[in-house]
Amino acid sequence: MSHVNPAPGRPALVSRRSFLAVSAAAAALGVSGCATSGSGGTTTLRFYEQKTEVIEYFGKLLRRFEKEQPGIRVVHDTTVAIAPQFVRGEPADVGCFNNNLELARYIKRGVLTDLSDLPSAARIRTDISDLTDQYATFPGRTSVLPYSLAAAGVIYNKRIFDELQLPVPETWSQFVDVCEELQRAGITPIYATDRDTWTLWQGLFDYSVGSLIDTGSFFRKMKELGTEVGPDAEVSFEKDFAVPMERAKTISTFFNPDHAVRSYADGNLAFGKGEAAMYFQGPWALSQIALVDPDLPIGTFALPVSEDPADRKARVNIDLGLWIPTQSRHQDEARELVEFLMRPDIIEAYNNDNLAYSTTEGAPPQQDERVAGLQPYIDDAAFYQGAGTFVPNSIPLGNYLQAAIRSGNFEAMLRKLDADWRRVAGRGATV
């Protein structure tokens, strides 16, 4: 894959003449609201991005964009929810948001524009854009441009592994052996934080499933089956997730004894203090761990759940995607902002700084050694979107996992998931 150079001298998508014509037309129509044109010929865009840890980062990018495009001012909208904006008919002109089931609702309704003709759209890796399509598509449109790919695996303490001369496990049997060796040495193998249920489905559940089940294909069939899901159907939780949940049950026996009452913050603190050898978290936890011990030697590997090392895959999610609502009254300026954010120097710097992976062809590898162990899986597209991300919020997966870990009865949890899926499908919700 060739590296795509920045294009500082590229022509702007909007000429000054067309920009003024659009502004004048908007003014003549009395357009107001989310995007306005001032008396000085300045267009105001609203950019929606509410990922707390990068608000300041994007704020600086927007100021840089304004300097390069003096006719455009950008307001950074960091409110919590996008739904009220669409309900009021005033969505932001450009959105930057997790690509998930919530965004899928807008894609399916056709309220996001087609971005396929943007130059940057041609640089998106096909295997990554395929991930976007697993949630929803609208015929004939590229509704979202994937911007940032986050990869998660097993974070491990290299110092502990080195002191006990433990290998990074490549098979399920090796992983269990490593956990048992840690226990014999008096070290907690895996730190878990059941109090924050999202950490259970994002880690234990997703990791146990992803390398054994093709999650995209599985949930596509589940949607097709709808109310027909069950043990005798082509696919079901009870049938297809039985082996993965056997793995999850075994893994949970290696948790810290007080896992039921520990929170995400507790986990970051404990792992940073070296109180456990492994931690099922994504790169977002690393900055918090570094606050405890910036010199802690950390690595990441994909959890092996079969006896074939080639089956290992990394759990990924499109942490941010760019989109433009059809209701934006400044489509050309909004597209100009998207193209600015997608410039190789901009997108690659963002993903490198945030321990993520670029979505474009020819992007350089992630250099941070804490997550470099997952780079080969990204290069080979050996990744999956977490099964938990396909489960609607109306199904309390995290709570079910809490109960299953406590009781050891994962089979009952899977039957409940099938029943809930039928219930949600029966009332026509998002499944």
Side-chain angles (χ1 to χ4, degrees):
M1 295 184 289
S2 62
H3 179 71
V4 181
N5 291 318
R10 66 193 160 75
L13 291 181
V14 188
S15 68
R16 176 63 57 184
R17 178 175 296 177
S18 63
F19 159 67
L20 292 175
V22 170
S23 300
L29 292 171
V31 170
S32 61
C34 61
T36 59
S37 298
S39 58
T42 298
T43 296
T44 298
L45 296 178
R46 206 168 88 243
F47 173 77
Y48 180 80
E49 190 286 317
Q50 41 68 276
K51 190 177 167 70
T52 308
E53 60 269 36
V54 293
I55 286 176
E56 183 179 353
Y57 190 101
F58 272 98
K60 292 178 180 176
L61 283 181
L62 297 179
R63 302 293 79 81
R64 180 175 169 185
F65 173 73
E66 289 174 334
K67 286 183 179 178
E68 295 186 17
Q69 299 290 340
I72 304 176
R73 172 175 171 267
V74 186
V75 175
H76 193 167
D77 183 346
T78 60
T79 52
V80 175
I82 60 174
Q85 301 181 6
F86 278 95
V87 170
R88 290 196 304 267
E90 294 181 347
D93 298 284
V94 176
C96 189
F97 197 71
N98 288 128
N99 189 56
N100 53 23
L101 284 183
E102 182 176 6
L103 188 60
R105 296 159 53 196
Y106 303 101
I107 295 173
K108 285 194 293 187
R109 292 170 186 167
V111 298
L112 305 182
T113 64
D114 179 23
L115 302 178
S116 62
D117 61 332
L118 288 178
S120 59
R123 303 201 313 272
I124 299 290
R125 281 177 51 172
T126 303
D127 44 24
I128 292 178
S129 61
D130 288 346
L131 295 176
T132 302
D133 295 344
Q134 288 180 352
Y135 291 120
T137 58
F138 189 83
R141 291 187 191 176
T142 299
S143 302
V144 177
L145 296 186
Y147 193 72
S148 177
L149 188 77
V154 180
I155 296 172
Y156 73 105
N157 184 321
K158 288 184 173 180
R159 184 179 298 144
I160 293 176
F161 270 60
D162 288 345
E163 288 174 353
L164 296 180
Q165 297 184 329
L166 296 174
V168 172
E170 296 184 350
T171 66
W172 169 246
S173 297
Q174 290 176 6
F175 178 76
V176 173
D177 289 344
V178 165
C179 289
E180 291 174 343
E181 188 66 29
L182 287 163
Q183 282 185 324
R184 283 192 286 272
I187 296 171
T188 298
I190 304 163
Y191 203 95
T193 55
D194 300 18
R195 183 175 169 186
D196 286 326
T197 57
W198 68 269
T199 67
L200 293 177
W201 64 256
Q202 177 275 322
L204 178 67
F205 186 75
D206 286 359
Y207 292 7
S208 299
V209 173
S211 293
L212 293 173
I213 303 291
D214 181 340
T215 55
S217 174
F218 174 82
F219 283 98
R220 184 174 64 251
K221 292 177 181 175
M222 289 285 280
K223 290 178 184 176
E224 293 170 358
L225 289 169
T227 58
E228 302 301 317
V229 164
D232 298 324
E234 181 182 1
V235 296
S236 70
F237 287 111
E238 185 176 358
K239 184 169 61 179
D240 295 81
F241 280 30
V243 172
M245 288 305 100
E246 284 180 13
R247 301 284 192 262
K249 182 177 178 179
T250 300
I251 292 167
S252 68
T253 64
F254 298 115
F255 284 175
N256 43 304
D258 58 351
H259 59 89
V261 296
R262 291 302 179 189
S263 68
Y264 172 60
D266 294 330
N268 295 335
L269 177 62
F271 192 81
K273 293 167 66 177
E275 294 178 3
M278 293 180 280
Y279 192 35
F280 285 16
Q281 271 295 347
W284 44 83
L286 296 174
S287 60
Q288 300 302 307
I289 294 170
L291 293 176
V292 182
D293 183 354
D295 298 321
L296 187 69
I298 288 176
T300 307
F301 62 85
L303 177 69
V305 286
S306 79
E307 296 306 322
D308 185 351
D311 289 341
R312 290 172 297 166
K313 295 180 181 178
R315 181 218 188 254
V316 300
N317 65 287
I318 297 175
D319 201 39
L320 292 176
L322 295 171
W323 38 269
I324 299 174
T326 56
Q327 288 179 301
S328 169
R329 297 185 177 94
H330 291 273
Q331 293 287 329
D332 288 342
E333 290 84 353
R335 289 159 66 88
E336 185 71 8
L337 176 55
V338 168
E339 282 296 275
F340 168 79
L341 293 172
M342 290 295 297
R343 261 173 35 190
D345 59 322
I346 303 289
I347 187 173
E348 290 166 9
Y350 171 82
N351 284 296
N352 189 59
D353 285 0
N354 289 280
L355 304 178
Y357 301 86
S358 179
T359 59
T360 58
E361 297 282 359
Q366 174 56 251
Q367 297 296 315
D368 195 299
E369 65 176 18
R370 293 171 294 177
V371 294
L374 299 180
Q375 182 67 54
Y377 301 96
I378 303 303
D379 293 341
D380 296 340
F383 48 53
Y384 59 88
Q385 294 195 106
T389 65
F390 292 90
V391 178
N393 290 335
S394 56
I395 298 176
L397 174 61
N399 298 102
Y400 291 169
L401 282 163
Q402 276 182 325
I405 292 169
R406 190 174 300 122
S407 67
N409 191 348
F410 282 78
E411 296 83 358
M413 181 191 76
L414 294 179
R415 289 193 294 273
K416 193 175 293 184
L417 286 175
D418 279 337
D420 280 7
W421 189 274
R422 291 191 295 270
R423 171 178 55 79
V424 175
R427 72 184 191 205
T430 308
V431 293

